[in-house]
Amino acid sequence: MSRWLACWLLALFAGAAQAQSADTILLGGKIVTFDSAPAEALAVRGDRIVAVGRSADIRALAGPATRVIDLAGRTVIPGLIDSHIHAIRAGLTYTTEVHWIGARSLGEALDRLRATAQAAPKGSWLIVAGGWIETQFAERRRPTQAEIAAAAPDHHVYVQLLYSAVLLTEGGIGALGIANDTSLAPRLTIETGADGRPTGWIAADNRTISDLFDRLPRPGMEQQVAGTRAFFRTLNSLGITGVLDPGGYNMPIEAYRALFQVWRDRALTLRIVYSLCAPRRDHELTDFEALTAMLPQGFGDDWLRFNGIGENVTWGMYNNDAPSEAQKEQLYQALRWAAPRGLTATFHWHNNRSVHHLLDVLERVNRETPVAALRWSVAHLNDASPESLARMKALGVGWLMQNAFYFRGEAFLGQRGMEAIRLAPPIGTALRMGLPTGGGTDAHRVMSYNPFVSLQWMLDGKTAGGLPTRTPDETPTRLEALRIYTQGSAWFAHDDARRGALGVGKLADLAVLSEDYLAVPVEAIGGIRSLLTMVGGRVVYAAGPYAALERRAE
């Protein structure tokens, strides 16, 4: 009996020792930890980091089943979190669009269109939904109708430039039924050339461009699911492990079905935190009451979670620099309902000259129900003044900052002058003030989704066309920029205690980089990619020397 008992105890202790072994360890690298010198290694058990330190010490946590990854000196950063990206919408059409994101020349962009045309059925639509600007091209110009027609002679082509203009092949207007639409046609400006004939380019405002896009054929549910999975994997390849999605144009409630399907299939590779826009004008509060009756703040899990309302809370206070008292009252009524229910809210606002209208309403709500714990945010506000930021800080409202001026810096310079653009956006001022700030892109209609392009722009202030803008006083350090894109963004998801940094007890969301973000020339940062991305200790993307570590679900 004693011999049996000894064997049993030995087995018990061996099992306990095995349970303490790490599932994965990463050795021999440069682990970015923010508040101390980079470490060499880290260990993961379950979905958490259990140790960070020297390789020799971390190696001791390996057991027979531990996966050991040799970093070979590579840099590891916390998984990047885009705090304002229309990722859900982008996924719906990702595999059915032509992407000009990152194309260095117009010729390259047209080649992408040509390649897609060769594989697409004749007569179908080829859609470039945005994510490009003419200054990114070596030719420094937009395409012509003749060029897109030559690249895709047997197709209708739709090319969207930000939310300001659309280029259609000849007959495209007829195919979309625009001419006979008395509600849409008067809102369009048809561009004509020197000969007085239409060029194919149509200019309009944001809302009208979105209405025009809604006339295009929609992918089926199967294509939407495939596109969602493919787009999220693309984000993983850039070190992104989480996003905050604000809804936006062209996103009715039913558009979320593909996302929920991927979630139910347990196939998400990003942590998605989403908010809901008001579906109908003048029914905002009624709709929010109905939608959130069984969808409380924070509902979901670590992969998909509801994060309140916005970016369009009420239609009258969205892209409106001169709201009426009635429109401000409408927003106040919606927010005085939301605040006691603990709902987070995010607000789309572009111009500092009019943001006082929004802040007045927020301060009014705050006098009745303090909002600081709710982590409300203002998105965009590229030209924010110190006074506006101070008002936000006093409320406990944070700032979601994107690299809009990477594409639109030249336009802002023409409108406001060099002195204004040298202070915009005021990243340094926000950091010195201690204002919660998240990094992001606002992709994919108005910007590339590449976070390293955004990080490079944060550090050098140069537009896609090479124009230098921001002053040194408004420029963060490399670590500050990275912290904005990780810990800063996590704050708005109420997750800063669990992710956004590489430390013991944190979720194991990380990226192993192709180049050292801390050491490469600033102009090379935009070319960095992830070689290995993990979310909760699970490998969601692997390439190069780590490609064998990824097991993709079919």
Side-chain angles (χ1 to χ4, degrees), residues 51 137 186 195 221 234 240 257 279 289 343 371 386 439 491 503 544:
F137 298 146
D195 58 1
M221 182 63 175
T234 295
I240 296 179
R257 289 193 307 141
E289 287 174 330
L343 288 172
V371 303
W491 185 87

Side-chain angles (χ1 to χ4, degrees), residues 279-303:
R280 300 181 298 164
R281 184 185 294 273
D282 295 327
H283 297 273
E284 294 91 340
L285 181 53
T286 300
D287 287 344
F288 283 141
E289 287 174 330
L291 288 168
T292 61
M294 297 185 69
L295 191 66
Q297 171 71 27
F299 183 81
D301 60 18
D302 280 346
W303 290 96

Side-chain angles (χ1 to χ4, degrees), residues 83 172-173 205 207 226 250 330 356 373:
S83 64
I173 290 181
D205 62 16
R207 182 68 259 173
N250 310 112
Q330 189 179 43
H356 63 91

Side-chain angles (χ1 to χ4, degrees), residues 175-341:
L176 293 180
I178 297 170
N180 298 324
D181 188 330
T182 57
S183 67
L184 184 63
R187 294 186 279 152
L188 303 174
T189 300
I190 307 299
E191 180 187 282
T192 56
D195 58 1
R197 300 181 61 185
T199 65
W201 280 100
I202 300 171
D205 62 16
N206 293 25
R207 182 68 259 173
T208 304
I209 294 291
S210 297
D211 290 345
L212 189 60
F213 187 89
D214 272 338
R215 292 175 172 268
L216 296 167
R218 293 291 184 98
M221 182 63 175
E222 189 173 317
Q223 291 173 308
Q224 292 178 25
V225 169
T228 297
R229 295 180 64 166
F231 182 57
F232 291 176
R233 176 174 164 79
T234 295
L235 296 182
N236 295 148
S237 75
L238 295 166
I240 296 179
T241 59
V243 300
L244 282 76
D245 190 295
Y249 290 135
N250 310 112
M251 282 297 291
I253 298 303
E254 59 268 21
Y256 288 81
R257 289 193 307 141
L259 172 69
F260 292 137
Q261 181 63 57
V262 178
W263 176 58
R264 287 196 300 271
D265 292 341
R266 299 187 177 184
L268 285 177
T269 59
L270 294 170
R271 301 189 193 279
I272 310 292
V273 175
Y274 70 99
S275 54
L276 288 177
C277 289
R280 300 181 298 164
R281 184 185 294 273
D282 295 327
H283 297 273
E284 294 91 340
L285 181 53
T286 300
D287 287 344
F288 283 141
E289 287 174 330
L291 288 168
T292 61
M294 297 185 69
L295 191 66
Q297 171 71 27
F299 183 81
D301 60 18
D302 280 346
W303 290 96
L304 181 64
R305 191 166 74 248
F306 174 59
N307 200 45
I309 58 177
E311 59 182 349
N312 181 3
V313 178
T314 58
W315 288 68
M317 291 288 281
Y318 183 82
N319 273 344
N320 186 357
D321 282 337
S324 67
E325 290 303 316
Q327 289 169 328
K328 288 189 279 189
E329 179 67 19
Q330 189 179 43
L331 177 63
Y332 164 71
Q333 293 297 335
L335 294 179
R336 74 188 298 261
W337 165 83
R341 288 161 178 79

